[in-house]
């Protein structure tokens, strides 16, 4: 892992990378500034070190921010208090650590519990409540809990989206053109009754009497019995002789 190079631009980013380097590779406090000065370009800064000597790492950070950034205590405090998570926990943590390092420049004795509570208060609502109820005792625990809850929320959102897409695929819609008739997707199981093609018959009184004596149907020539169903559904007219 190489030490980051500073060319006078993005001072805050460079300081954050240096602090991460020192976290991964332990460097004695008195060797941090000599190491960092090797990777700092620009005669302005080098001349400053020649005149005033090697400061401590915390003072060096303050010098760099004043030289290359418009660092103001009130502005740093305002940004730190107004910081809120807008995207992921990871991106929020990067910005939080950057502002935290600036706060520590002005106040080295900043309470760790205060920093942890500020981190929790800036989280999204669906993450903040869970982290607070777990009662973390330090910032590292709060970060772990925040990432865990973020993963759970994202998994739940993915599952919900999949269910919604599945339900949408099952829904059938009517034609968008209102002028078109709606055609059901099912077919009726019954068949329409066929109309009789037999001509209408007019029975005279004698024919009615004869059919009654022979126990025949008035409509067809088949024997009549209770429950008889005639093959021909016709309208018959009985005619009487005067």
């Amino acid at each position: 892992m190489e030490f980051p190079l500073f060319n006078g631009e993005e001072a805050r980013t460079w300081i954050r990378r240096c602090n991460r380097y020192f976290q991964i590779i332990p460097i004695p406090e008195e060797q941090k500034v000599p190491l960092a000065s090797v990777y700092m370009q620009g005669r302005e800064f080098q001349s400053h070190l020649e005149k005033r000597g090697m400061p401590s790492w915390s003072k060096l950070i303050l010098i760099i921010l004043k030289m290359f950034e418009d660092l103001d205590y009130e502005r740093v405090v305002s940004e730190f208090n107004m910081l809120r998570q807008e995207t992921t926990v990871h991106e929020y943590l990067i910005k939080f650590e950057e502002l935290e390092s600036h706060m520590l420049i002005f106040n080295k004795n900043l309470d760790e519990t205060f920093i942890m509570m500020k981190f929790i208060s800036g989280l999204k609502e669906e993450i903040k409540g869970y982290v607070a109820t777990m009662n973390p005792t330090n910032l590292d625990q709060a970060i772990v809990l925040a990432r865990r809850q973020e993963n759970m929320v994202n998994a739940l959102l993915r599952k919900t989206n999949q269910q919604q897409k599945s339900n949408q695929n099952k829904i059938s819609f009517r034609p968008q053109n209102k002028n078109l008739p709606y055609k059901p997707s099912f077919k009726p199981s019954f068949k329409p009754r066929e109309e009789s093609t037999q001509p209408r018959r007019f029975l005279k009184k004698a024919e009615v009497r004869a059919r009654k004596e022979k126990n025949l149907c008035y409509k067809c020539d088949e024997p009549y019995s209770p429950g008889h169903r005639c093959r021909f559904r016709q309208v018959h007219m009985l005619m009487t002789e005067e």
Side-chain angles (χ1 to χ4, degrees):
M1 181 178 180
E2 296 183 359
F3 196 87
L5 181 66
F6 180 62
N7 58 3
E9 298 179 356
E10 298 183 357
R12 296 186 182 188
T13 302
W14 180 79
I15 293 172
R16 184 174 64 252
R17 291 178 179 176
C18 291
N19 288 329
R20 289 185 178 179
Y21 181 91
F22 295 145
Q23 290 177 354
I24 298 174
I25 302 177
I27 301 294
E29 190 68 25
E30 64 275 9
Q31 296 182 11
K32 290 182 178 180
V33 175
L35 175 62
S37 62
V38 175
Y39 293 89
M40 299 181 68
Q41 300 176 346
R43 295 187 58 83
E44 181 181 1
F45 178 76
Q46 295 297 337
S47 61
H48 180 86
L49 293 180
E50 292 175 0
K51 293 179 181 180
R52 301 189 180 184
M54 291 289 182
S56 63
W57 174 245
S58 59
K59 289 184 178 180
L60 176 64
I61 293 176
L62 184 59
I63 293 171
I64 293 174
L65 292 175
K66 286 184 177 180
M67 292 178 62
F68 300 97
E69 296 278 349
D70 185 17
L71 184 63
D72 179 74
Y73 176 72
E74 293 182 357
R75 183 172 62 85
V76 171
V77 173
S78 177
E79 290 182 7
F80 187 70
N81 291 332
M82 295 177 62
L83 181 63
R84 296 292 184 272
Q85 179 190 354
E86 297 180 355
T87 54
T88 63
V89 172
H90 176 71
E91 294 181 359
Y92 169 67
L93 179 60
I94 292 176
K95 185 63 176 178
F96 182 86
E97 289 179 341
E98 178 183 345
L99 293 176
E100 178 193 3
S101 64
H102 297 167
M103 290 287 293
L104 292 173
I105 292 174
F106 297 103
N107 187 0
K108 295 181 180 180
N109 299 321
L110 200 61
D111 184 59
E112 183 178 357
T113 303
F114 168 78
I115 295 176
M116 179 192 68
M117 296 304 297
K118 180 62 191 70
F119 172 80
I120 296 175
S121 65
L123 293 169
K124 291 182 178 180
E125 293 297 329
E126 61 269 23
I127 300 177
K128 176 171 57 178
Y130 169 78
V131 177
T133 55
M134 298 303 292
N135 297 321
T137 58
N138 54 58
L139 180 60
D140 291 338
Q141 291 182 5
I143 294 173
V144 172
L145 292 171
R147 287 173 172 168
R148 181 188 302 171
Q149 178 66 3
E150 181 182 45
N151 292 334
M152 294 176 62
V153 171
N154 291 338
L156 181 61
L157 290 176
R158 287 193 298 268
K159 183 177 180 180
T160 302
N161 292 335
Q162 291 175 356
Q163 291 178 348
Q164 290 178 349
K165 290 181 180 179
S166 177
N167 293 335
Q168 289 177 356
N169 294 333
K170 295 179 181 179
I171 298 176
S172 59
F173 297 93
R174 293 190 176 187
Q176 295 182 356
N177 190 345
K178 297 182 179 180
N179 296 325
L180 296 178
Y182 172 67
K183 296 182 179 180
S185 58
F186 63 91
K187 295 182 179 180
S189 58
F190 63 89
K191 294 183 179 180
R193 186 183 301 276
E194 296 180 356
E195 296 293 337
S196 174
T197 58
Q198 294 291 332
R200 292 185 178 182
R201 301 176 62 183
F202 298 91
L203 300 179
K204 295 183 179 181
K205 188 174 182 180
E207 291 177 333
V208 172
R209 187 183 304 111
R211 286 178 176 272
K212 185 175 181 181
E213 292 175 354
K214 296 179 181 180
N215 198 26
L216 296 178
C217 178
Y218 292 135
K219 301 176 183 179
C220 62
D221 296 332
E222 295 181 358
Y224 177 82
S225 61
H228 170 71
R229 300 186 65 179
C230 185
R231 292 181 301 169
F232 307 113
R233 294 293 182 92
Q234 299 176 340
V235 177
H236 291 262
M237 181 181 296
L238 299 179
M239 300 181 63
T240 59
E241 296 178 352
E242 296 181 357

